[in-house]
Amino acid sequence: MSQKNRKGKASELYRQLGRRSLGGSVQMWDDLWTGAHLATMAAGGAANGVPYGAVEDGALAVAGGRLAWVGAAADLPGAPETLARRVHDAAGAWITPGLVDCHTHLVYGGDRAREFELRLTGASYEQIARAGGGIRYTVEQTRKASEEALYASALPRLRDLLAEGVTTVEIKSGYGLTLEDELKMLRVARRLGAEEPVTVKTTYLGAHAIPPEFDRRPEEYIDTVVAQMAEVAASGLADAVDGFCERIAFYPEQMARVFEAATAAGLPVKLHADQLSDSKGASLVARYGGLSADHLEYSCEEGIRAMALKGAVAVLLPGAFYFLRETRLPPIEAIRRHGVPIAIATDCNPGSSPCTSILLMLNMGCTLFRLTPEEVLAGVTRNGARALGLEETHGTLEPGKVADFVIWNIAYPAELAYRIGHNPCRLVVKEGQVVKDGRVVRGG
Ligand SMILES: [Zn+2]
């Protein structure tokens, strides 16, 4: 099929969906954006085969915070000013779905800059650990911090992400490691979502590390995590449960107990899997029908196949790979061959990825993992949403979805992954509302 025919077919789909969503009603849309090229990132159907699900010279309408119409401007069912209360001219910009950062630990106390320096001046991991560094330092600082202090330190990190077009972010606990401190972190994450123009999905990561008071007693700590699961679920503060399955953290059998408890409490699971060795983490996620397995550098093909069968997302984290100077690449070819959806995220955390730039992750996904610009953009839109269980409502520009989108000063979508240190984000629209300088400006 020629490129032109494919595009024609895609725009026909959007036209039909748009008409259907209008439902024969003559009600006006709230906002109509014209003069834009759309990277819809929609998968399958008539959009299949069109790079980025692109619609050039497109238009996009918003009604009630949802996308009401998406398609070629030439197919609009009337003159723009007769269709919407407000008409905006994007002046040749590209519009993508709002970006999704589906794996972060952005709420934490203290930082590890001093440790970073020590390591570069020759201190060993052991010396750093003996000097009270590493994850235990972050746990200590997080426990000490008030909720207010945690909020104040996480806010600028979140705002860095929002400035680059992030409209949905996942935030994990995992540095409190007592029920009280874990819930404190999750409350901070919830408050960030309530006060900033961003959708926050929270994850309980009690099984992140063995806390100092359980030193050499990991099994007993897992007993505690399992025993507290019902209370975590009842708090309503966690949308999912995560763990760190690795020889330096918890064994698959221990993680399986955490997953059993999460499943019994009605919470979906995900996992830090196979980052430093093949701990069969990918298979474990598949066995519990998990949302995603994250990192995956050492996953075997069997694990990837199992993920494909269960529809789990492979969340790749190039920031941690870079920062830890890892050399073992995730099994990208196997992931592609088995059709496992690939998401990309910052893994924002103080120890292994002190990164608050999603655009840098797009570039690193391409340079370090040899993903294509289209794959990494799908990784922070369609597949990032899927990794959070939000595929029905977020992640693509399609009628009926939440009107989260970004207007970029770029000539072609690959520019988002190509440039380093440049932020071409012109405007963010969150649930139909224009966001300027981090604040919602009603109706633009
Ligand atoms: Zn992580």
Side-chain angles (χ1 to χ4, degrees), residues 41 52 99-100 316 318 332 336 342-345 358-384 413-418:
M41 303 313 291
Y52 303 96
L99 305 189
V100 179
L316 304 184
I332 304 285
R336 283 181 178 141
I342 299 172
I344 299 284
I358 194 82
L359 294 177
L360 180 59
M361 294 304 100
L362 298 189
N363 180 270
M364 285 188 181
C366 294
T367 54
L368 299 175
F369 295 165
R370 312 309 292 165
L371 296 170
T372 67
E374 186 180 0
E375 281 175 322
V376 291
L377 189 56
V380 295
T381 54
R382 185 178 69 241
N383 295 339
E415 248 184 85
L416 294 176
Y418 163 70

Side-chain angles (χ1 to χ4, degrees), residues 154-357:
L155 186 58
R157 291 192 278 269
L158 176 64
R159 286 193 173 157
D160 282 352
L161 293 174
L162 303 192
E164 289 187 346
V166 169
T167 53
T168 300
V169 66
E170 185 253 19
I171 303 177
K172 302 175 196 295
S173 65
Y175 296 119
L177 308 183
T178 65
L179 180 62
E180 185 190 341
D181 289 307
E182 289 289 299
L183 295 181
K184 176 175 75 175
M185 292 182 72
L186 293 171
R187 274 195 300 274
V188 171
R190 279 278 192 257
R191 182 177 158 202
L192 288 164
E195 296 188 10
E196 294 298 301
V198 62
T199 299
V200 170
K201 291 290 263 182
T202 56
T203 302
Y204 170 56
L205 179 55
H208 192 194
I210 302 158
E213 59 275 20
F214 283 89
D215 205 11
R216 293 178 222 279
R217 294 183 293 132
E219 202 65 46
E220 284 173 51
Y221 179 60
I222 290 295
D223 291 343
T224 311
V225 170
V226 166
Q228 290 168 346
M229 192 63 75
E231 200 168 333
V232 171
S235 74
L237 292 169
D239 299 317
V241 171
D242 192 353
F244 187 17
C245 187
E246 193 62 64
R247 54 188 178 204
I248 59 162
F250 298 103
Y251 291 109
E253 300 73 28
Q254 294 168 330
M255 279 317 310
R257 293 183 55 212
V258 174
F259 282 4
E260 288 289 344
T263 307
L267 292 171
V269 301
K270 57 177 86 175
L271 191 64
H272 287 69
D274 310 330
Q275 180 186 9
L276 307 169
S277 62
D278 182 8
S279 335
K280 310 289 175 205
S283 301
L284 186 64
V285 165
R287 199 185 319 147
Y288 286 88
L291 291 167
S292 68
D294 304 26
H295 287 294
L296 301 180
E297 277 82 347
Y298 285 83
S299 293
C300 60
E301 179 145 4
E302 188 191 327
I304 300 302
R305 194 184 301 118
M307 285 176 67
L309 286 171
K310 292 297 188 73
V313 176
V315 178
L316 304 184
L317 304 166
F321 179 90
Y322 162 80
F323 198 78
L324 297 174
R325 302 174 71 231
E326 295 291 341
T327 51
R328 167 86 168 229
L329 288 167
I332 304 285
E333 278 318 314
I335 291 171
R336 283 181 178 141
R337 197 169 351 101
H338 291 287
V340 174
I342 299 172
I344 299 284
T346 60
D347 193 13
C348 171
N349 79 79
S352 63
S353 187
C355 172
T356 51
S357 171

